[in-house]
Amino acid sequence: MNKNDIQASPAQLRYADTLFYGSLIGFVIMLITYILYVTGILTPQIPLDELPHLWTYRAAGHIPQGWGWLSLIGKGDICNFVGIIILAGLTIVCFVQLALSLARRKQWLLCVIAILEVLVLVLAASGILVGGGH
């Protein structure tokens, strides 16, 4: 078998496309929000010149724990998280697409594994399993 004979499945191509375009969108959003932050177009929660003097950014900025940061999304330093969230969430989106594709092809074991992966990632992102002092 020649390496040129290997073909990606439609599910693999969809996964790759989602990852590519999602990463591109996340990167562009991170770039835009960073520019909004450093130029001062959006007022930051903590002024940029105070950051080097702070040991605990979250505590000094009175930033809520977990998903509470969403209430401060209009702040220049907080809106940068949007692009990071998009990049972090891409794996979940890709696994959902993969599970649907596997279900259509009746590959039930792999479909269940993909669904379990989605559930684990969503549970981890939810903040329900908070442990430690973070």
Side-chain angles (χ1 to χ4, degrees):
M1 176 182 274
N2 187 343
K3 71 176 182 178
N4 294 331
D5 295 335
I6 300 172
Q7 297 291 321
S9 72
Q12 290 171 322
L13 293 174
R14 190 167 28 266
Y15 188 104
D17 285 345
T18 301
L19 203 54
F20 174 77
Y21 290 112
S23 296
L24 185 61
I25 290 168
F27 176 76
V28 168
I29 288 174
M30 284 175 38
L31 185 63
I32 291 169
T33 57
Y34 180 73
I35 290 169
L36 291 173
Y37 170 49
V38 296
T39 59
I41 293 172
L42 290 178
T43 307
Q45 182 72 8
I46 299 174
L48 190 57
D49 58 340
E50 288 182 27
L51 284 179
H53 306 290
L54 302 174
W55 282 97
T56 56
Y57 177 78
R58 191 187 64 75
H62 306 289
I63 299 169
Q65 231 176 336
W67 288 93
W69 65 270
L70 285 170
S71 64
L72 302 171
I73 199 77
K75 299 290 186 176
D77 49 347
I78 305 298
C79 70
N80 292 308
F81 296 156
V82 174
I84 295 168
I85 294 300
I86 289 172
L87 293 176
L90 278 176
T91 301
I92 296 171
V93 173
C94 290
F95 269 101
V96 167
Q97 288 181 342
L98 180 62
L100 293 172
S101 177
L102 292 167
R104 275 189 233 106
R105 294 191 333 218
K106 297 184 182 357
Q107 293 182 323
W108 301 117
L109 180 60
L110 293 174
C111 179
V112 168
I113 292 171
I115 291 170
L116 289 172
E117 182 70 26
V118 168
L119 293 175
V120 167
L121 291 171
V122 168
L123 185 62
S126 72
I128 292 172
L129 301 176
V130 176
H134 300 292

